[in-house]
Amino acid sequence: MAYSCFTELMKRMNQNFPHGGAMDTHFANMRSLIQILDSEIFELMHQNGDYTHFYFCYRWFLLDLKRELVYDDVFAVWETIWAAKDASSSHFVLFIALALVEVYRDIILENNMDFTDIIKFFNGKLSNNESTIHSVVCGALKVWNFSTSISVLKKCLHALGKMIGVCVLYPFNSKLSATFSS
């Protein structure tokens, strides 16, 4: 049974390894999420050595945050990510990663962290399992709800514009719909 579960997990995670293309997609989506939802931290990342490539998240995406959380919390996060695939978004791991950054947002900004600082910080914090799973998952759900609301609003505005024969312009970044589509 354990072997079968592991095999299925590896099939699911296969694209995250070097021969797959998922890691680059995760980094690009993470960049879009931060740029749209937290421009202040994006600017800091861009100014301090431009670490908007988000390589500090590599470990997070490789195995759905397995190394970043305490043992019992890993299962809760995995269940959330896997259930979200069918219930909300197959990219829910991005929202968890964004929530991890947001949980420590103030510390990152106050310390004006560069790439080396943020790697050391997250490796130390997360390796010591100091993150609180409740705040991370709740933060991910808030971001997902926000993104869903914007996506629905865009569709409603577009439909309304079609109904009344007007081109509706909205101030949302075009990356938004690509980033949040499931």
Side-chain angles (χ1 to χ4, degrees), residues 63-178:
L63 287 173
D64 287 343
L65 303 149
K66 183 202 173 291
R67 295 186 214 161
E68 283 64 42
L69 304 166
V70 294
Y71 191 69
D72 291 335
D73 291 346
V74 169
F75 296 117
V77 168
W78 281 2
E79 286 178 22
T80 303
I81 291 169
W82 299 341
K85 180 180 179 188
D86 296 321
S88 60
S89 171
S90 60
H91 305 289
F92 199 73
V93 69
L94 291 168
F95 299 105
I96 299 267
L98 177 64
L100 268 175
V101 172
E102 291 298 313
V103 163
Y104 299 109
R105 177 187 191 279
D106 293 337
I107 295 170
I108 294 167
L109 290 172
E110 287 170 12
N111 292 296
N112 199 26
M113 291 186 181
D114 63 12
F115 181 64
T116 305
D117 295 334
I118 204 161
I119 290 256
K120 287 179 187 174
F121 176 76
F122 277 117
N123 282 347
K125 276 282 182 212
L126 301 179
S127 294
N128 294 330
N129 299 310
E130 293 179 24
S131 59
T132 60
I133 191 62
H134 177 73
S135 58
V136 170
V137 172
C138 286
L141 288 169
K142 286 178 189 175
V143 174
W144 179 80
N145 284 331
F146 176 75
S147 69
T148 303
S149 300
I150 288 178
S151 181
V152 168
L153 178 61
K154 277 181 82 172
K155 288 176 185 173
C156 290
L157 287 173
H158 182 70
L160 177 64
K162 279 181 137 179
M163 286 172 43
I164 61 174
V166 175
C167 178
V168 177
L169 299 175
Y170 32 82
F172 304 118
N173 189 324
S174 61
K175 294 179 192 174
L176 193 63
S177 57

Side-chain angles (χ1 to χ4, degrees), residues 3-15:
Y3 177 76
S4 295
C5 290
F6 180 74
T7 302
E8 290 304 311
L9 173 66
M10 288 297 100
K11 283 180 191 175
R12 185 182 168 290
M13 304 304 294
N14 186 35
Q15 293 300 309

Side-chain angles (χ1 to χ4, degrees), residues 14-24:
N14 186 35
Q15 293 300 309
N16 286 348
F17 291 91
H19 64 279
M23 203 56 79
D24 290 334

